Amino acid sequence: MARRERVVRMSVEQPLWRALTAYRVLTMVYAVLIFFYERERFERPWVAACFLGFLAVWTLATLPRVANAVSCTKRFLVADLTVAVTGILLTPLADTNAQQIDGPTLPSIWAAGSVLAFAIKGGWRWAAVASSVVAVANLVERAHPSRDTLHNVLLVWVASIAIGYVVEVARASERTLARALEIEAATRERERLARDIHDSVLQVLAMVQRRGTALGGEAAELGRLAGEQEIALRTLVSSGLVPASRASEDTAVHTDGRDDEPCDLRTLLAPYAGSRVTFSEPGAPVLLPRSAAKELAAAVSAALDNVHAHAGTEAHAWILVEEWPDQVIVTVRDDGPGIPEGRLAQAEGEGRLGVALSIRGRLRDLGGTAELISVPGQGTEVELKVPRGGTRK
């Protein structure tokens, strides 16, 4: 059961870290190539060569640092931004004509990678601070910035803040999704426990109430007490106050660690056959994962309990198993008086959740459906459909 609720989730920001890693390597190579093809115009090429050599080593050595948010620490971000700013400010020293020709800085567009790391790590506020620092460095390096310089500075500033904002929204959405999945898992655990209670404790209390009332005397008093406890327990179950931790313990008791093993559904349904229950099965095994087969058999048992409780002791029931390439269909039909229109909704309102939980709830957890057809005076038919995949993960 625990495997059924396990959800593998990858952080929504992880692809951004991978993209940043690739961006840093590619832009480092780009900066080196620019210097290689334009090295003749540098008055001090050794300055540019030393910085770009350090930049290449720094980029490759720090790739693990930009692999995820945990390894990308604040200290690394500050050091990385310092490298970018230093390269920008060293540009006039290596090429004194850089300010006049409005050429690229030594790190070129690699510097934007440092700003993007701030955005992915800390959101739009961190991105605003880092992009502002880079912008000031570019303006200082140019002395008399041109329109293109101002355009590029503004572009980096706006883009980094936008990416930081998107990251914050993605993180909030991820937290919301995780909480929703936790609530869904807890709800399913409660429903499973409620089904077990309905199939065991509630059925016994209802039987004690009926037998006690029929016997009279002191037994009638016991029946009355059992009826009161049945009502209280149904109210507790229907209100959702059953703790999920109890559900997990109950589930652990009933699972044997072999839920994925194939099981012949016929062997689980055959014991229900009797003088007033006719069982029709295919000639070949009907294989389903053990957990799915058990849940389907429990739903059939709940349907038969409803026949015995509401159709009378003289009612006859039929169980038909059909196997199709994509699904297994089990039909439970009886010749009782049928269910009056609106009775199921009324029963759910009263906390009687046999159909809602023991039947439809089980089939929903299996990824299947349960359809109930009843005509007053002509009996009731419950059709249970389970996909061949077994259970919904």
Side-chain angles (χ1 to χ4, degrees), residues 225-256:
L225 294 175
E228 292 177 355
Q229 294 303 311
E230 179 194 6
I231 294 174
L233 187 54
R234 286 186 186 278
T235 303
L236 180 65
V237 170
S238 61
S239 65
L241 297 178
V242 179
S245 59
R246 287 289 307 279
S248 299
E249 294 171 5
D250 179 82
T251 300
V253 172
H254 288 85
T255 54
D256 54 9

Side-chain angles (χ1 to χ4, degrees), residues 357-377:
L357 288 179
S358 291
I359 300 179
R360 287 176 179 160
R362 279 191 165 97
L363 270 294
R364 184 187 63 243
D365 288 350
L366 296 176
T369 59
E371 297 182 9
L372 188 146
I373 303 173
S374 182
V375 178

Side-chain angles (χ1 to χ4, degrees), residues 75 192 255 289:
R75 181 177 299 180
R192 277 195 287 271
T255 54

Side-chain angles (χ1 to χ4, degrees), residues 184-235:
E184 181 185 10
T187 301
R188 291 186 181 280
E189 293 292 344
R190 291 188 182 99
E191 289 184 355
R192 277 195 287 271
L193 179 57
R195 288 195 295 264
D196 288 339
I197 292 175
H198 176 273
D199 296 343
S200 55
V201 181
L202 291 178
Q203 296 285 0
V204 172
L205 290 175
M207 182 187 68
V208 171
Q209 182 187 21
R210 291 195 301 268
R211 295 287 180 86
T213 302
L215 292 174
E218 294 183 358
E221 177 65 16
L222 291 176
R224 185 186 65 81
L225 294 175
E228 292 177 355
Q229 294 303 311
E230 179 194 6
I231 294 174
L233 187 54
R234 286 186 186 278
T235 303

